[in-house]
Structure formats: C-alpha cells, structure tokens
Amino acid sequence: MTDVLIDHIVLDSDGKARIRDRGVKVRVLAEWYNAGSTVQELCESLELTPAQVHAALSYYYDHKAEMDEVTRANKELLKTNGRSLEGFRREIEARQQNKRE
C-alpha cells in the first residue's frame, strides 16, 4: 500500500498549519466553519478551492484538541482586551473585501 499525501497544507516557521501558497491559517478557517460558514462561503470569501478547504478541515479534525485549545485561549485573550471574535472576524473580512476591490 502507498500513502497518498495531499500537499495543500504546510507548517509555517512557528509550526502553524496554513494553506499552501495562500497563508490562511487552518485553525482560523476551522473557526469560521464551526461558526456556520459553508465550504462554498469559505471558498468564495478566502479565494480557495474546495480541495483546499476540505484539506484544511481534514487537518483540523486530525488536530482538533490542540487547535480548539488555541481558539479557546485566543477568545479569552480577546475578551480580556475588550474585543470579540466576531468583531475580529468582521475586521478581517472587511480587509479582504478591500483587497478585492
């Protein structure tokens, strides 16, 4: 049997999983997905292919506990600083929209 590797995911110098050639963090994509974004919405808003999104979600589910812990810690940090994750998400989406225009 031969292992098949899907090369859509890379680890950056800090060990964070990102989508190759796009820089999108797998953990952030998974947060948006868990918050209700569909694969199609993620493809459109982040300019990704369905294969990239599914590869990121696959990686997330293989590393769910550790990624969820980072998300939880980040939410606590945002709360401590008086910001919400949803507000932060809107800021990112606005920046991405401005880049496309």
Side-chain angles (χ1 to χ4, degrees):
M1 185 178 294
T2 302
D3 288 337
V4 177
L5 303 176
I6 299 173
D7 68 348
H8 291 297
I9 307 301
V10 296
L11 298 179
D12 66 15
S13 60
D14 295 326
K16 294 182 177 120
R18 296 180 181 270
I19 297 176
R20 180 184 301 281
D21 299 326
R22 300 292 299 136
V24 176
K25 289 182 187 175
V26 169
R27 185 184 50 76
V28 172
L29 184 144
E31 286 176 21
W32 290 11
Y33 182 79
N34 289 334
S37 294
T38 66
V39 170
Q40 185 62 36
E41 289 169 336
L42 292 168
C43 289
E44 291 171 4
S45 65
L46 299 172
E47 299 177 4
L48 301 171
T49 67
Q52 289 170 314
V53 172
H54 285 288
L57 292 173
S58 178
Y59 186 92
Y60 164 71
Y61 285 115
D62 281 345
H63 302 85
K64 187 176 185 323
E66 62 207 62
M67 288 189 162
D68 286 350
E69 177 56 30
V70 171
T71 296
R72 187 201 61 73
N74 285 347
K75 284 181 181 179
E76 284 299 315
L77 182 62
L78 287 171
K79 189 187 304 181
T80 301
N81 292 326
R83 297 176 71 188
S84 71
L85 186 59
E86 184 58 34
F88 187 64
R89 179 180 172 184
R90 284 193 301 269
E91 290 175 28
I92 292 171
E93 288 172 342
R95 277 189 241 138
Q96 289 173 336
Q97 183 64 31
N98 288 337
K99 284 173 96 176
R100 287 191 290 263
E101 293 175 352

